[in-house]
Amino acid sequence: MATLELYELPGCPYCAKVKTKLDELGLEYTSHEVPRSHSERTKVEDVSGQTGVPVLVDPDNDVEGMAESDDIVDYLDETYGAGAAN
């Protein structure tokens, strides 16, 4: 059962970067498509404190709303990559 959650917007290159990393690592995740309008992104704002995407939630590791694609990719590599302690 997937515990990772990704808040994303179709066509977003930053979201695609994170999805590519998730797929490379063979990680299952639940995708939440957010509205195009920032003012309608109340759920992602509740999770992360901001309205930008992508946002990653990883409850198994107490990650409640990580933003910024580079930070998310680095986190995924460190936590779930080949050299990770898991």
Side-chain angles (χ1 to χ4, degrees), residues 1-45:
M1 182 174 180
T3 58
L4 292 171
E5 299 179 52
L6 180 65
Y7 291 82
E8 63 170 316
L9 182 67
C12 165
Y14 304 106
C15 299
K17 178 179 183 177
V18 172
K19 288 174 71 169
T20 297
K21 179 53 68 176
L22 286 162
D23 291 342
E24 281 177 9
L25 295 172
L27 298 172
E28 291 184 25
Y29 62 96
T30 301
S31 174
H32 301 284
E33 189 174 314
V34 301
R36 195 156 288 284
S37 171
H38 280 263
S39 64
E40 296 175 14
R41 296 182 185 175
T42 55
K43 180 62 177 164
V44 74
E45 188 172 16

Side-chain angles (χ1 to χ4, degrees), residues 40-62:
E40 296 175 14
R41 296 182 185 175
T42 55
K43 180 62 177 164
V44 74
E45 188 172 16
D46 290 345
V47 168
S48 67
Q50 49 89 49
T51 59
V53 289
V55 168
L56 181 76
V57 176
D58 183 0
D60 290 346
N61 290 295
D62 297 322

